[in-house]
């Protein structure tokens, strides 16, 4: 392995360094393992090396726990199955605690910088009382206030039923899905890309009035987190934005208001959690172990056959491993154009949660019941032998049409 990194390869100097590296190691082939940004690099390097008549071929492999690198030919990235099962175990434990103590609402933020696939899959596995899906929030153009009211309304209804506890799942990238916040972040990105954020706050004059009003409305800690340095790809570092604490604070404020109005008459206690890095460092599930082997085998076979600019892909995943098929898909077929650092750049388009897709539809059909009735499921730890060892995540099975 040459190295691991998060840099976006786009400048002439970076491409030159890449040329020098593959020549130094006399590489016939280069396998790039990662998510949409890493495989964007793979696509661009393959085109660059081919244009220079270099012998180094480039093959990509889909690796991201977020689940947002996928297509018809690449149905899932490795790591997603493992991460969701690890998170679901932790969520199940929190559910057991909530039910046994009977006095806490647990606000759980789950990793997934852009898409809400992890949150949706964990909801299907554990059946929490409330699950916020970022893509739905964006589609319905919901505001922070409406999301807060939705959570608060369910808490009040559960109180009337005698339940003063619950579990709420929140996707890591939620704040980036709320249209009013999305607009604010877009303006902040432009400012941070070209200007200095001065302590006197003169930079705020460049915000539109609605964005400025929203920025001033947010808690001080969230303001500071929104101004943090962007990652190498120009994205807000949503892992550092404590959305769960912000929502808890807003819900507490709304409940206090309702208590004064006499519409809420119980004590409220909230706990916040961020399940992040714990989920991406566990021992892989049997599915992910087999999938990684197949992807690696495919990448080697593609290089051996002289291919470049492809991403290793495995098909028929709902069937037993012996019936899986291995091939390659053109990386260019996944490419799109996005605005980053104030400029349009070629990137692989992220696969978001589809509101008309089977996983979301199944979740939506049950969420009202889960909100008011405790249908909690604690799946326990990942199994490596026995009847549950080879189970596959709901999202993949539903998207492949293998589960109703």
């Amino acid at each position: 392995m040459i190295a691991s990194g998060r840099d976006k390869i786009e400048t002439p100097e970076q491409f030159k360094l890449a040329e020098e590296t593959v020549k130094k190691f006399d590489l016939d082939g280069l396998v790039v393992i990662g998510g949409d940004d890493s495989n964007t690099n793979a696509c661009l390097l393959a085109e660059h090396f081919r244009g220079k008549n270099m012998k180094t071929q480039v093959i990509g492999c889909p690796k991201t726990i977020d689940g947002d690198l996928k297509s018809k030919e690449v149905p899932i990235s490795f790591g997603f199955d493992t991460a969701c099962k690890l998170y679901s175990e932790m969520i199940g434990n929190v559910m057991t605690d909530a039910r046994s103590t009977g006095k806490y609402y647990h606000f759980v933020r789950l990793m997934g910088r852009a898409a809400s696939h992890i949150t949706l899959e964990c909801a299907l596995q554990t059946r929490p009382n409330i699950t916020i899906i970022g893509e739905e929030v964006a589609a319905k153009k919901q505001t922070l206030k409406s999301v807060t009211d939705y959570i608060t309304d369910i808490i009040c209804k559960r109180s009337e039923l005698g339940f003063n506890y619950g579990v709420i799942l929140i996707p890591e990238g939620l704040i980036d899905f709320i249209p009013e916040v999305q607009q604010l972040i877009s303006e902040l990105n432009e400012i941070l890309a070209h200007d200095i954020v001065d302590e006197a706050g003169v930079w705020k004059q460049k915000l539109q009035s609605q964005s400025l009003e929203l920025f001033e409305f947010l808690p001080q800690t969230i303001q500071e987190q929104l101004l943090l340095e962007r990652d190498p790809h120009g994205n807000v570092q949503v892992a550092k934005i404590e959305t769960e604490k912000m929502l808890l604070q807003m819900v507490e404020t709304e409940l206090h208001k309702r208590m004064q109005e006499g519409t809420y008459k119980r004590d409220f206690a909230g706990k916040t959690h961020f399940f992040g890095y714990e989920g991406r460092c566990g021992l892989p599930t049997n599915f992910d172990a087999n999938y990684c082997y197949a992807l690696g085998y495919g990448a080697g076979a593609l290089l051996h056959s002289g291919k470049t600019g492809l991403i290793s892909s495995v098909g028929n995943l709902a069937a037993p491993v012996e019936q899986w098929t291995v091939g390659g898909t053109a990386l260019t077929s996944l490419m799109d154009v996005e605005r980053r650092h104030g400029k349009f750049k070629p990137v692989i388009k992220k696969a978001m949660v589809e509101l008309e897709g089977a996983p979301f539809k199944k979740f939506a059909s049950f969420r009202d019941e889960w909100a008011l009735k405790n249908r909690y499921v604690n799946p326990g730890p990942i199994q490596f032998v026995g009847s549950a060892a080879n189970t596959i995540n709901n999202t993949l099975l539903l998207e492949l049409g293998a589960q109703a």
Side-chain angles (χ1 to χ4, degrees):
M1 185 174 76
I2 296 177
S4 176
R6 285 184 54 80
D7 288 330
K8 182 80 169 67
I9 300 175
E10 53 189 2
T11 67
E13 293 77 16
Q14 289 173 314
F15 281 106
K16 183 65 176 175
L17 285 172
E19 287 180 40
E20 294 172 356
T21 299
V22 297
K23 287 178 180 178
K24 174 184 176 181
F25 291 102
D26 191 29
L27 296 182
D28 295 308
L30 175 66
V31 178
V32 178
I33 305 170
D36 55 301
D37 286 316
S38 296
N39 278 283
T40 293
N41 284 341
C43 183
L44 297 176
L45 285 174
E47 293 296 312
H48 181 77
F49 293 161
R50 183 159 44 194
K52 293 277 188 174
N53 292 317
M54 296 173 64
K55 71 172 184 176
T56 308
Q57 304 149 215
V58 185
I59 299 296
C61 274
K63 185 275 306 179
T64 169
I65 68 167
D66 293 358
D68 58 2
L69 172 59
K70 60 182 175 181
S71 65
K72 182 179 179 181
E73 295 78 15
V74 186
I76 192 172
S77 297
F78 77 79
F80 178 77
D81 188 79
T82 300
C84 289
K85 287 174 181 174
L86 283 167
Y87 291 140
S88 292
E89 177 192 355
M90 291 188 282
I91 293 166
N93 292 342
V94 167
M95 287 174 165
T96 300
D97 180 82
R99 200 165 190 174
S100 62
T101 60
K103 61 180 180 180
Y104 296 119
Y105 271 91
H106 294 269
F107 288 65
V108 181
R109 175 165 54 107
L110 294 167
M111 190 168 265
R113 188 185 62 77
S116 305
H117 294 293
I118 288 178
T119 301
L120 178 58
E121 173 61 30
C122 289
L124 290 170
Q125 289 191 29
T126 62
R127 305 177 186 177
N129 303 113
I130 301 171
T131 302
I132 307 297
I133 301 298
E135 289 84 344
E136 183 181 30
V137 170
K140 292 182 176 179
K141 294 181 168 48
Q142 292 179 309
T143 64
L144 274 174
K145 179 70 166 60
S146 61
V147 172
T148 301
D149 286 345
Y150 171 70
I151 296 172
T152 308
D153 288 345
I154 292 177
I155 290 173
C156 290
K157 290 177 182 176
R158 286 179 59 79
S159 174
E160 293 171 3
L161 295 172
F163 303 131
N164 200 34
Y165 61 90
V167 177
I168 301 162
L169 302 189
I170 304 161
E172 181 182 43
L174 172 64
I175 199 165
D176 208 9
F177 278 103
I178 300 172
E180 58 180 348
V181 180
Q182 206 171 45
Q183 176 61 33
L184 171 61
I185 290 175
S186 176
E187 293 178 33
L188 289 175
N189 285 345
E190 291 293 324
I191 292 172
L192 292 172
H194 304 291
D195 299 286
I196 297 175
V197 176
D198 60 287
E199 292 185 8
V202 176
W203 64 271
K204 295 180 184 178
Q205 296 175 7
K206 297 186 179 182
L207 291 173
Q208 295 183 20
S209 57
Q210 285 184 320
S211 295
L212 177 59
E213 182 180 352
L214 173 60
F215 185 81
E216 298 291 1
F217 167 76
L218 294 171
Q220 180 68 28
T221 54
I222 301 299
Q223 290 183 13
E224 294 171 357
Q225 290 160 7
L226 282 173
L227 293 174
L228 290 172
E229 183 181 354
R230 273 31 181 174
D231 69 14
H233 308 292
N235 301 313
V236 173
Q237 298 187 60
V238 293
K240 296 183 178 180
I241 299 178
E242 298 172 320
T243 317
E244 72 283 15
K245 293 183 180 179
M246 178 186 71
L247 283 176
L248 171 57
Q249 182 178 334
M250 296 178 74
V251 167
E252 285 177 332
T253 300
E254 179 61 25
L255 284 173
H256 179 70
K257 176 184 173 183
R258 297 189 188 191
M259 286 178 71
Q260 291 181 323
E261 296 171 347
T263 57
Y264 182 72
K265 301 177 181 179
R266 299 289 294 270
D267 291 330
F268 173 81
K271 301 288 184 181
T272 59
H273 314 266
F274 173 41
F275 296 159
Y277 298 100
E278 304 92 333
R280 70 181 196 182
C281 57
L283 292 174
T285 60
N286 286 353
F287 172 83
D288 268 338
N290 289 327
Y291 189 45
C292 285
Y293 183 93
L295 287 170
Y297 185 95
L302 290 169
L303 289 173
H304 185 70
S305 62
K307 304 299 182 184
T308 190
L310 302 180
I311 185 169
S312 181
S313 55
V314 181
N316 204 31
L317 291 173
V321 177
E322 295 77 13
Q323 298 176 29
W324 289 4
T325 58
V326 179
T329 300
L331 282 163
T332 51
S333 68
L334 306 178
M335 296 293 283
D336 198 6
V337 175
E338 288 183 9
R339 189 171 179 82
R340 295 185 177 182
H341 291 298
K343 297 180 180 179
F344 287 103
K345 305 287 181 67
V347 297
I348 288 178
K349 185 177 181 180
K350 291 185 182 295
M352 312 304 285
V353 169
E354 296 182 6
L355 302 185
E356 293 301 317
F360 181 81
K361 282 189 171 182
K362 181 173 182 178
F363 157 73
S365 70
F366 287 105
R367 64 174 159 188
D368 288 344
E369 177 184 343
W370 297 347
L372 303 181
K373 299 179 180 179
N374 299 319
R375 305 299 192 200
Y376 300 154
V377 173
N378 187 338
I382 291 173
Q383 302 296 302
F384 299 100
V385 295
S387 59
N390 295 311
T391 57
I392 302 175
N393 61 85
N394 297 276
T395 299
L396 179 60
L397 291 176
L398 286 164
E399 289 181 340
L400 294 177
Q403 178 178 307

